[in-house]
Each structure stands twice: as structure tokens, then as C-alpha cells.
Amino acid sequence: MILLVFDFDHTVVDGNTDVKILDVLGNKKNGIKYDHSTGWTEHMRQIFVGCEKQGVTQADMISVLKELEMTEGMETLFQRIKEFKDKIKVVIASDSNSWFIDVLLSHFSIEDLVDEVHTNPADWNGNLLALKRYTTNEKCSRCPINMCKSEIVLNSLTDDISHVIYVGDGSNDLCPVLNLQEKDIACPREGYGLSKKLDTIDVNCSVVRWSNAVLIVDHLNYYLNVQ
């Protein structure tokens, strides 16, 4: 069994869902600034309060989110996953939110291929998209306060997992990559933060950089022992 872990923004989708959703506010962003002391999740919670005040609806948000496309080659990768789903466990570990991810997994018709989604919970309370932290991270100094992706990977492992393939792009994907073993593969997206960090850091696992996710299919095939 292969554990295939994906980040979501700039990895499964070719864009950032949190940034994209600002399009629904147009020129009415209410001057909300990101405060590093409270973290990104609290920033987005304030954004959603601003959306409610401006009369933004679920339909408005869905319309904007559906403008995002899968990254190049990702559809092919998920097709391969579908063909060998009994041998692959798929996990998403993302600092986006559950509602955004559910909307897009359904839009791309891949929701049935994903076994677990670990992200910040979000649900509609009237006209407000209410957002909570995934957890409170008090142990890992490398990761943000709401999430340690190493912990997610560790908790997703089962006795029948032979290899881990981790696919991501950002700096918050570094922690799990540092904990991968020699038999595993890290797949950082070319030109993004994780790939740049791995230029200067030695890791135990293999590193396969990609700009087209079809490249990941080749390595998945190797672990699956198929052509």
C-alpha cells in the first residue's frame, strides 16, 4: 500500500483558494490586513465575516472557486490513482478549509478517490462561512500554530503502508518532508517555496521536482510495479 499525501493549494489546484476567494469582495475588502501574531486561519475568519457583511453568498463563493483548475498533469495522476485505488491511500493535508476543498474535489469529480482530508473545519452558519483551526500545534516549531503536517502523515500511516509519496509546494510542507525515510519520495513543485528550501537542505528521502504532475505518475508506477 502506498500513502500518497497532497497539499491542496498550488498542488492539486493551480492557485490559492484563500486568495482566490477575495475575488468575491471585489473592491470591498474592508482593509483587512494579515496579522502574523494571530495566524492565517484567524485572518481568513475575519475575511469570511467581511464576506457576510457584504452579502456574499455560498453560490458566489462556489462560482469563484470553480474558476480554479487542477495543476498541469494532476488529472492524469488522479486517473492513475483511480485505476489502482486498492493499492493507494490518498490523504490531503492543507491549510485551506474543508468547505473549499469539498467544493473543488466534487467539481473535479475526485472526491471518491480521497480517503482523508486534514484541514481547517469550515461550515455555513446562516450566511457566514464559520472557520475553525484544525488543531492547536504546541509541539512543532517548524509548523504554523494550527497544523503540523508531519503529525498528519504519521497518523495516516498503517502497518500495510510500504512507501510515502508527499506532493506539495510551500514552506509548511517542509516539516513532513524532513521526516520521510529513504524509501519515500518528496515531490516539490518547481519554482515554489518547498523546492527552493530543498536546494539547501539534505533529506533522507528521494526528491522529485515537478511542474507537470505526469512526472509523479512515473514514480507511482514504479512503486505499483506497473508500466
Side-chain angles (χ1 to χ4, degrees):
M1 197 76 170
I2 298 165
L3 175 61
L4 186 49
V5 184
F6 292 92
D7 179 38
F8 196 71
D9 291 342
H10 295 297
T11 299
V12 176
V13 295
D14 195 15
N16 184 311
T17 50
D18 285 343
V19 173
K20 181 63 178 175
I21 209 66
L22 295 177
D23 288 353
V24 300
L25 289 173
N27 295 323
K28 300 178 180 179
K29 295 183 176 62
N30 297 327
I32 300 171
K33 303 296 183 182
Y34 174 44
D35 182 351
H36 287 270
S37 66
T38 58
W40 185 258
T41 309
E42 174 60 23
H43 173 69
M44 289 308 301
R45 191 191 68 78
Q46 294 180 28
I47 291 291
F48 296 149
V49 169
C51 287
E52 180 191 29
K53 290 178 178 178
Q54 296 296 335
V56 174
T57 66
Q58 289 189 43
D60 293 333
M61 288 196 183
I62 290 171
S63 178
V64 165
L65 288 171
K66 285 184 176 181
E67 293 175 4
L68 290 168
E69 299 179 350
M70 299 180 86
T71 52
E72 188 175 3
M74 195 59 64
E75 186 175 351
T76 301
L77 175 54
F78 271 91
Q79 181 59 42
R80 190 52 129 188
I81 292 168
K82 183 177 181 179
E83 293 168 357
F84 293 92
K85 187 64 188 70
D86 60 327
K87 298 181 179 180
I88 305 169
K89 179 180 180 180
V90 177
V91 172
I92 289 176
S94 169
D95 203 12
S96 180
N97 70 71
S98 59
W99 188 76
F100 284 4
I101 292 174
D102 286 348
V103 167
L104 287 172
L105 291 181
S106 177
H107 177 56
F108 299 137
S109 300
I110 58 173
E111 69 273 23
D112 292 340
L113 302 178
V114 177
D115 297 287
E116 299 174 9
V117 176
H118 298 271
T119 188
N120 303 298
D123 204 357
W124 286 90
N125 181 6
N127 295 320
L128 172 66
L129 183 58
L131 179 67
K132 298 178 181 178
R133 283 182 182 173
Y134 173 71
T135 188
T136 299
N137 168 34
E138 297 177 337
K139 297 178 181 179
C140 180
S141 60
R142 285 194 295 259
C143 291
I145 192 167
N146 64 307
M147 179 179 294
C148 173
K149 292 189 177 183
S150 283
E151 186 174 354
I152 292 171
V153 173
L154 180 62
N155 290 338
S156 299
L157 289 172
T158 53
D159 291 340
D160 58 343
I161 298 292
S162 60
H163 302 280
V164 178
I165 300 176
Y166 189 96
V167 187
D169 71 283
S171 58
N172 67 344
D173 295 308
L174 178 63
C175 183
V177 168
L178 291 176
N179 287 295
L180 294 180
Q181 301 179 29
E182 187 175 351
K183 63 180 181 175
D184 303 324
I185 302 177
C187 299
R189 189 177 180 188
E190 284 274 13
Y192 287 76
L194 177 60
S195 181
K196 294 174 183 177
K197 286 181 179 294
L198 291 177
D199 285 336
T200 59
I201 298 174
D202 291 328
V203 292
N204 294 322
C205 64
S206 300
V207 176
V208 175
R209 290 174 170 82
W210 62 280
S211 57
N212 186 319
V214 169
L215 180 63
I216 303 170
V217 176
D218 295 336
H219 293 273
L220 181 61
N221 287 343
Y222 176 79
Y223 281 163
L224 292 169
N225 294 315
V226 297
Q227 299 299 318

